[in-house]
Amino acid sequence: MSQFESLASDALDRPTKPAMLRGAMCRCPACGEGKLYKSYLKVNDHCPACNEALHHQQADDGPAYLTILLVSHLGAPLLLAIFVAYRPSAMTLLLSFSLGAIVMSLLLLPVIKGAMVGFQWARRMHGFSA
């Protein structure tokens, strides 16, 4: 078997999209049953359902950067639209958009990190090759 055929069979073995969707739902990218996190952003060492090793993940700062990118790109046009339409006071805008950005960031961060762990698992990155 050639190296290309080996890589193609590995890609079919672990489809990327379902693994990322399972990770985004905070579930094990391998089985979709076990919880991915043992706390807010702490990934379990092993899946409680299928015992898949998850400690290989290296999401690092990627999820934080993507979260900032999404929240700012969603918030900036909304801020402009609200200001033009309603002309609220500066303090109202500051408080409401600060609170909205914090809440949206806290909600998106585990979802994005889970999808990134699922991507790493599907592509056999950082020790997920076994």
Side-chain angles (χ1 to χ4, degrees):
M1 181 183 306
S2 72
Q3 183 180 7
F4 178 73
E5 290 171 347
S6 174
L7 291 174
S9 69
D10 286 347
L12 294 175
D13 189 26
R14 292 184 177 178
T16 304
K17 186 176 179 180
M20 289 182 71
L21 289 174
R22 287 186 207 122
M25 292 186 302
C26 301
R27 296 288 173 194
C28 170
C31 68
E33 297 295 321
K35 289 186 175 183
L36 183 62
Y37 302 114
K38 60 178 147 187
S39 62
Y40 177 62
L41 287 176
K42 177 70 175 157
V43 177
N44 280 321
D45 288 337
H46 292 86
C47 173
C50 69
N51 206 31
E52 176 75 27
L54 300 171
H55 64 275
H56 302 294
Q57 65 85 25
Q58 293 182 5
D60 300 329
D61 292 335
Y65 291 133
L66 289 175
T67 300
I68 291 168
L69 183 75
L70 282 173
V71 170
S72 62
H73 278 80
L74 293 173
L78 185 62
L79 178 70
L80 180 63
I82 296 291
F83 180 74
V84 168
Y86 301 108
R87 300 280 183 196
S89 70
M91 189 56 74
T92 302
L93 278 177
L94 177 69
L95 291 175
S96 61
F97 276 88
S98 295
L99 182 62
I102 291 169
V103 169
M104 196 180 326
S105 296
L106 290 174
L107 292 174
L108 282 176
L109 194 55
V111 172
I112 293 172
K113 183 173 182 174
M116 191 167 285
V117 171
F119 180 80
Q120 291 175 5
W121 176 83
R123 296 299 174 121
R124 299 178 185 269
M125 298 168 70
H126 310 299
F128 281 121
S129 61

